[in-house]
C-alpha cells in the first residue's frame, strides 16, 4: 500500500528565527490520520524545524544534497551532514536543474548519496511548456527519460529500500498559478510506473511501479489539490508557495486525509 504524502518545499523562504514557529503552526493544524507530512525548509532552518516538530508525526527534509560524499566544494552540503537534521531529501528539483544546471546524470549521483545516507529521496521530474505543447506522448517520453536516467545507475533494491518517492512537477506549472489536469498527472504516473517495472522487472527485490509513491507538484493549493488526489495513480503533492501558508496546508492535508481514508490508510 502506497502512503499519501504531502511535502512542503519552502525553497529560499524563512530564516532560523521564524521557521520553527511556522513549522509548529503547520504541524498542529495538519494532524490528519493516514497522511505522511514532510517539511523541507532551507538548510539553515533544518535544526529549528526539527526542534519545532519534535514529538509530532512530521518528517523534516532537505531541499538538495551534493553529489559527492566530501571534498572541496565551497558552500555545498553532503548527504552525511544531514544526519540528525533531516530524514528526507528533494533531488532534481527543476529550479536546481535550471539555476544550477543539474543534469540527469548529476541527479542520479545525488540520488545515490541520499540512499547511502539513509535519506528518503523525492526525485523531481517534469517537462517544460514547449514539450507539453508538443503533446502528452512527447512529455511522457521526456519525463520517463528523466526518471530512468536518475534511477538506472542505482540499485533497484537500494531504491526500493530507500522508499523512493517521485514528484511529477511540470516546469510550466511551478509557481505560475497554472497546473496540469488531474488526468494529465495520472497519465504521467502510469507512464513512470510502467517504465520502472520495465527497468527493474528482472530483479527480485527491486523497485516496483506499483509500490512507488508518485506525487504531483506545481501550483498546488487547497483549492486545486482535489483533482489530483481524486486520481488513484496520484499519492499526494509536493507543495511550494502554498506550503508557507498554514491555512493552505490545513486545507491540503485535510483533503489528503479524505483520500487516505478512502484508500484504507487512515487506520
Ligand atoms: P509551487 O512549487 O507549488 O509554488 O508551484 C512547487 C515546487 O516547486 O515544488
Amino acid at each position: 500500500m502506497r502512503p499519501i504524502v504531502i511535502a512542503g518545499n519552502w525553497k529560499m523562504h524563512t530564516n532560523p528565527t521564524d521557521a520553527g514557529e511556522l513549522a509548529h503552526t503547520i504541524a498542529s493544524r495538519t494532524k490528519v490520520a493516514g497522511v505522511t507530512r514532510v517539511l523541507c525548509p532551507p538548510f539553515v532552518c533544518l535544526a529549528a524545524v526539527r526542534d519545532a516538530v519534535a514529538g509530532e508525526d512530521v518528517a523534516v527534509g532537505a531541499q538538495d544534497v551534493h553529489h559527492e560524499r566530501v571534498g572541496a566544494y565551497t558552500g555545498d552540503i553532503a548527504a552525511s551532514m544531514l544526519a540528525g537534521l533531516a530524514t528526507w531529501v528533494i533531488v532534481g528539483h527543476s529550479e536546481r536543474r535550471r539555476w544550477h544546471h543539474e543534469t540527469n546524470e548529476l541527479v542520479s549521483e545525488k540520488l545515490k548519496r541520499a540512499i547511502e545516507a539513509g535519506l528518503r529521496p523525492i526525485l523531481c521530474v517534469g517537462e517544460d511548456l514547449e514539450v507539453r505543447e508538443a503533446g502528452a506522448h512527447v512529455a511522457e517520453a521526456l519525463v520517463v527519460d528523466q526518471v530512468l536516467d536518475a534511477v538506472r545507475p542505482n540499485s533497484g533494491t537500494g531504491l526500493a529500500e530507500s522508499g523512493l518517492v517521485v514528484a511529477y512537477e511540470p516546469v510550466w506549472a511551478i509557481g505560475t498559478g497554472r497546473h496540469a489536469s488531474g488526468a494529465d498527472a495520472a497519465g504521467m504516473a502510469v507512464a513512470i510506473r510502467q517504465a520502472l517495472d520495465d527497468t527493474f522487472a528482472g530483479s527480485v527485490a527491486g523497485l516496483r511501479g506499483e509500490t512507488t509513491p508518485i506525487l504531483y507538484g506545481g501550483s498546488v493549493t487547497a483549492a486545486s489539490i482535489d483533482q489530483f488526489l481524486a486520481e488513484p495513480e496520484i499519492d499526494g503533492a509536493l507543495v511550494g508557495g502554498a506550503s508557507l501558508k498554514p491555512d493552505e496546508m490545513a486545507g491540503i492535508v485535510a483533503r489528503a486525509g479524505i483520500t487516505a481514508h478512502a484508500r484504507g490508510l487512515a487506520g
Side-chain angles (χ1 to χ4, degrees):
M1 193 74 83
R2 301 189 300 262
I4 299 289
V5 179
I6 299 295
N9 172 11
W10 288 1
K11 307 192 181 187
M12 200 167 72
H13 297 286
T14 71
N15 58 57
T17 310
D18 62 20
E21 192 180 331
L22 179 61
H24 177 77
T25 305
I26 291 172
S28 61
R29 295 196 52 195
T30 55
K31 291 182 198 285
V32 173
V35 181
T36 300
R37 297 168 292 166
V38 189
L39 294 177
C40 304
F43 285 120
V44 295
C45 300
L46 285 169
V49 170
R50 173 203 59 196
D51 292 348
V53 301
E56 304 271 359
D57 198 10
V58 174
V60 180
Q63 296 176 13
D64 182 43
V65 76
H66 198 265
H67 66 280
E68 294 287 357
R69 291 189 187 91
V70 67
Y73 301 101
T74 303
D76 282 320
I77 304 286
S80 62
M81 297 173 184
L82 296 171
L85 288 169
T87 54
W88 290 59
V89 67
I90 297 170
V91 293
H93 191 281
S94 66
E95 286 153 11
R96 301 288 315 175
R97 294 177 191 259
R98 178 172 182 198
W99 300 112
H100 297 265
H101 312 291
E102 294 189 2
T103 61
N104 289 345
E105 290 67 34
L106 190 90
V107 171
S108 177
E109 289 298 303
K110 291 183 177 222
L111 199 50
K112 198 169 285 171
R113 298 289 93 84
I115 295 168
E116 280 172 5
L119 295 165
R120 186 165 191 178
I122 301 178
L123 168 65
C124 297
V125 291
E127 81 285 355
D128 61 25
L129 189 56
E130 211 171 74
V131 173
R132 172 51 63 179
E133 285 176 344
H137 288 303
V138 181
E140 283 171 17
L142 179 125
V143 169
V144 160
D145 275 352
Q146 288 178 328
V147 173
L148 294 186
D149 283 355
V151 299
R152 257 201 215 111
N154 287 285
S155 106
T157 310
L159 288 162
E161 285 172 357
S162 76
L164 174 73
V165 172
V166 177
Y168 166 54
E169 300 202 296
V171 178
W172 50 271
I174 296 178
T176 59
R178 300 180 59 184
H179 51 78
S181 69
D184 283 347
M188 191 61 83
V190 170
I192 292 168
R193 292 207 162 94
Q194 186 62 54
L196 292 178
D197 285 341
D198 292 346
T199 304
F200 295 106
S203 63
V204 182
L207 197 63
R208 294 277 172 275
E210 181 182 46
T211 51
T212 304
I214 299 184
L215 316 182
Y216 169 77
S219 298
V220 169
T221 61
S224 72
I225 185 83
D226 186 66
Q227 64 175 301
F228 301 105
L229 288 175
E231 295 287 344
E233 294 287 341
I234 301 294
D235 305 308
L238 180 55
V239 185
S243 72
L244 292 158
K245 301 175 185 158
D247 285 350
E248 287 288 338
M249 282 299 270
I252 289 167
V253 177
R255 176 60 188 82
I258 296 171
T259 296
H261 189 78
R263 295 188 194 175
L265 293 163

